Amino acid sequence: MVAVHWRLELEHACQPRSCVTPESAPEALPGAAERMASFAVRRGPTFLDVGTLDLSPLLVQVAADRESYDTLVVVGIGGSSLGLRALGEALAPTAFRGRGGAHRVRVLESVDPVELDLLLDEVDLSTTCVHVVTKSGSTVETLANFFYLLGALTEALGEGEAWRRVRVTTDPNEGPLAALARERGLPVFPLPSGIGGRFSVLTPVALFGLAFAGVDVRALVEGAAVQRTRFTAALPGANPSLDLALALCRFYEAGLRDVVFFPYVTRLFPLALWFVQLWAESLGKPRGKGEPLGPTPLPAVGTNDQHAQLQLLIEGAHNKVVLFLAAEEETSPSHPPMAPFPPALGVMRYLENAPLARVRSRSMEGVQAALTELGRPHLTLRAASLSPAAMGELVMLLQCATAWAGFLWDIDPFDQPGVEQAKRYAHAMLGKPGAEALRQRAEGLLRGAANDEGSAI
């Protein structure tokens, strides 16, 4: 019997069961189910097929690199970095936060000269290798960061040695980075063309860095793959990814258009940032010939955001639904004992010796009670642990829920035409040959905006 790590709790959702019962299934469900079934049997691997990918070459390379290097710098952005950060912080926080351990992973994302300088000050280039990740092979930010990092490696170690430390994940059949990798004889780990960046977390995009950090990536992938059939079945009330999509779509249609992704485990906050990209890029687009969809994901983390966002969530505009993420964990055996409370704090003695995990879980329950009291809807995804298999299952659940939402709304959750247009303008503004007309158009648009708004401040 397949172990199920995560359960979706709808008891306090305000109209809880109506979101997911077969009797209340929306008219769009049969069409959505047909599209999901068609997508699931598409030719070429999709994010549903991660269990079929051969990880042996990747694991052989990682084993060799762990023998030779203690630091891996991953250069990527968006879908090429957010998933790695999400699972890395969850499963190997020591490696990703640099607090000891034999192997560390650093991620170079946004173009920011100060961030590059800080990274170069922190790592020892003599014991560092590089994993550059871009599906298209032409991502401006990634290539800029990579070649500056390569310049630092070349200056420190020489050109030949610098290139020997480079590994690549990209579309193997097209794009300039794939051509460069072939020319230089670099190790290349393919990202299948049918898997978009924000759905690529269980491919070499993230698995290379996770394996370098010591994560059991086979268990991670197996945790996702064994749930594939369950998560793609159109069975309201028995399929958590469909149930989650149905609930969030229903709330959206009722005017609750913001989804607050609220993990109550601090190291899962990067997962909230990954979910923001997954939900926003997949679903923020026109619905058929109708109005553009705007299901806006917002990240939060407990217990910090009880003291930052909570007032807005409880008594602010009634346009949000909160999705809590909870995991039961044992107290770390390395925790120091709690100091005794002095008499002056006698009123707080009920806290004395309370495990931190209990303080956290009771704090979340207090938030949920306050939301319920005022009719503010919330859902909870809960797991008994944060094992690699459980995290693999969770990312598959969220990816499938996103796909289901797109199909229910009759949109393509896998394209990103708005993002691609912005990329074309960016390439043109940077001087891409043949894009002069596009650059002139962009400059004209910006001049027009400046003329319209120059006196508004």
Side-chain angles (χ1 to χ4, degrees):
M1 182 176 178
V2 173
V4 178
H5 297 91
W6 293 88
R7 68 179 188 271
L8 178 64
E9 299 172 357
L10 294 164
E11 284 78 3
H12 305 293
C14 305
Q15 299 182 326
R17 298 302 174 191
S18 64
C19 293
V20 299
T21 61
E23 295 77 15
S24 66
E27 292 181 3
L29 182 56
E34 184 177 341
R35 293 182 69 181
M36 178 63 94
S38 176
F39 174 76
V41 296
R42 235 170 64 170
R43 289 189 178 182
T46 69
F47 77 91
L48 296 171
D49 301 311
V50 293
T52 67
L53 301 180
D54 182 8
L55 299 182
S56 300
L58 181 149
L59 294 176
V60 168
Q61 182 67 57
V62 169
D65 288 344
R66 282 170 59 89
E67 289 288 328
S68 302
Y69 310 110
D70 62 21
T71 301
L72 172 70
V73 176
V74 180
V75 188
I77 196 167
S80 297
S81 63
L82 288 169
L84 171 64
R85 279 194 183 278
L87 291 178
E89 289 272 354
L91 297 171
T94 299
F96 278 76
R97 295 186 187 183
R99 299 180 179 176
H103 297 91
R104 301 185 305 163
V105 178
R106 292 292 173 270
V107 183
L108 188 58
E109 296 174 285
S110 293
V111 173
D112 187 324
V114 173
E115 290 299 314
L116 177 60
D117 288 345
L118 289 172
L119 182 143
L120 292 174
D121 286 342
E122 179 188 355
V123 304
D124 179 356
L125 292 177
S126 69
T127 57
T128 295
C129 59
V130 178
H131 182 209
V132 56
V133 185
T134 160
K135 180 178 179 180
S136 67
S138 60
T139 305
V140 166
E141 300 90 342
T142 298
L143 292 180
N145 275 333
F146 169 56
F147 277 95
Y148 272 109
L149 179 60
L150 186 66
L153 283 166
T154 299
E155 189 175 77
L157 307 171
E159 182 181 6
E161 182 60 26
W163 279 106
R164 275 191 288 274
R165 294 164 182 246
V166 176
R167 294 84 180 89
V168 172
T169 291
T170 190
D171 186 316
N173 300 315
E174 56 185 45
L177 188 59
L180 175 64
R182 288 191 294 269
E183 177 186 309
R184 288 277 180 174
L186 305 177
V188 178
F189 302 98
L191 177 55
S193 59
I195 302 179
R198 59 187 177 273
F199 290 89
S200 67
V201 61
L202 297 174
T203 73
V205 165
L207 297 183
F208 191 97
L210 294 171
F212 188 90
V215 173
D216 184 351
V217 295
R218 289 196 185 277
L220 181 73
V221 170
E222 289 167 3
V226 296
Q227 297 298 337
R228 179 185 189 275
T229 301
R230 183 169 186 254
F231 288 160
T232 55
L235 300 172
N239 175 348
S241 64
L242 175 59
D243 293 348
L244 179 58
L246 285 169
L248 294 178
C249 288
R250 284 282 177 83
F251 286 129
Y252 180 90
E253 301 299 344
L256 305 174
R257 300 193 166 189
D258 297 343
V259 180
V260 182
F261 194 87
F262 208 154
Y264 258 74
V265 179
T266 303
R267 68 181 191 272
L268 291 185
F269 182 61
L271 188 79
L273 301 179
W274 169 78
F275 177 79
V276 165
Q277 186 208 18
L278 180 69
W279 197 251
E281 281 197 351
S282 299
L283 304 176
K285 57 192 67 167
R287 164 168 42 178
K289 295 182 180 180
E291 67 179 42
L293 282 166
T296 303
L298 303 170
V301 63
T303 54
N304 299 47
D305 278 306
Q306 288 180 211
H307 302 272
Q309 299 187 38
L310 189 56
Q311 177 60 39
L312 175 67
L313 302 183
I314 292 178
E315 291 189 314
H318 191 23
N319 60 356
K320 298 174 181 61
V321 57
V322 180
L323 176 57
F324 290 100
L325 208 62
E328 305 301 327
E329 300 175 281
E330 295 91 9
T331 299
S332 168
S334 63
H335 278 184
M338 182 183 279
F341 278 39
L345 282 179
V347 70
M348 300 297 294
R349 288 291 292 272
Y350 62 88
L351 275 180
E352 195 166 30
N353 294 318
L356 286 177
R358 184 190 303 163
V359 175
R360 182 181 63 191
S361 62
R362 296 298 180 263
S363 296
M364 184 184 76
E365 289 168 359
V367 172
Q368 292 173 323
L371 289 167
T372 302
E373 185 175 38
L374 289 182
R376 302 301 173 102
H378 57 90
L379 318 171
T380 303
L381 280 166
R382 188 184 302 274
S385 70
L386 297 181
S387 65
M391 292 305 298
E393 180 181 315
L394 177 62
V395 297
M396 179 62 80
L397 189 160
L398 293 172
Q399 288 175 330
C400 282
T402 303
W404 272 116
F407 294 153
L408 286 164
W409 274 319
D410 193 26
I411 63 173
D412 183 348
F414 305 110
D415 66 0
Q416 50 183 36
V419 173
E420 296 306 323
Q421 180 67 349
K423 288 181 181 179
R424 284 189 286 270
Y425 277 130
H427 281 283
M429 296 295 279
L430 285 164
K432 180 180 179 180
E436 292 80 10
L438 195 60
R439 177 176 180 173
Q440 291 173 5
R441 174 170 172 75
E443 291 173 342
L445 289 167
L446 295 174
R447 279 196 303 270
N451 291 338
D452 291 341
E453 300 174 9
S455 61
I457 297 176

